[in-house]
Amino acid sequence: MLNRRALLVIISVLLMMHAGYAATIIMDKAEKPQAVMKVDVKPVTIGCDKYCWQDARVIEIYSMTIDQAVPKEIKIASYSWETAVPVGISTVSLVKYRSDDNDSTLWRLLNIKNEDK
């Protein structure tokens, strides 16, 4: 028969394996950016409802996973209860606002949680 310490070690290993599997599933379902861009963001000029919209000038495109041209001026949506893009030059991860839309001016900020908040 297993002693108590050996049993605890086995249970701990099984729990770690399960946690690693769960983390893999969550990461596989996580939304991935369609574009990473360096932008010059202007302040929000209109009140926010569900989304706050900010005008931005595209300075550089670092990566794109979709085959679509991006204009020099875009609009970035962020949830009104989340942190928006700071005014000025920032690097942002974005997804299309509507995946079925061909409008390449509308983008949504991909909210990546920052532990330093």
Side-chain angles (χ1 to χ4, degrees):
M1 181 146 180
L2 294 174
N3 65 22
R4 185 172 184 219
R5 182 175 172 88
L7 187 59
L8 288 174
V9 169
I10 291 170
I11 290 171
S12 297
V13 169
L14 290 172
L15 287 172
M16 286 189 290
M17 289 172 51
H18 177 70
Y21 178 72
T24 302
I25 291 171
I26 291 169
M27 289 305 293
D28 286 345
K29 291 185 177 184
E31 196 170 16
K32 295 172 179 63
Q34 294 175 324
V36 178
M37 303 179 197
K38 184 177 189 178
V39 294
D40 185 7
V41 179
K42 298 169 181 89
V44 176
T45 56
I46 302 173
C48 304
D49 289 324
K50 180 178 179 181
Y51 289 103
C52 289
W53 288 92
Q54 294 174 279
D55 292 325
R57 182 177 55 87
V58 177
I59 297 171
E60 187 174 352
I61 298 173
Y62 294 122
S63 71
M64 284 282 284
T65 60
I66 56 175
D67 188 26
Q68 191 169 26
V70 178
K72 287 289 182 190
E73 298 288 327
I74 63 172
K75 292 185 180 295
I76 300 174
S78 59
Y79 288 121
S80 59
W81 58 88
E82 295 275 345
T83 304
V85 182
V87 174
I89 296 175
S90 295
T91 300
V92 292
S93 298
L94 304 169
V95 293
K96 292 288 306 249
Y97 181 67
R98 289 187 192 96
S99 59
D100 60 343
D101 195 354
N102 287 331
D103 188 353
S104 60
T105 62
L106 302 179
W107 294 85
R108 182 172 52 84
L109 182 64
L110 185 60
N111 287 319
I112 299 171
K113 299 296 182 192
N114 184 351
E115 298 300 321
D116 295 335
K117 284 185 183 178

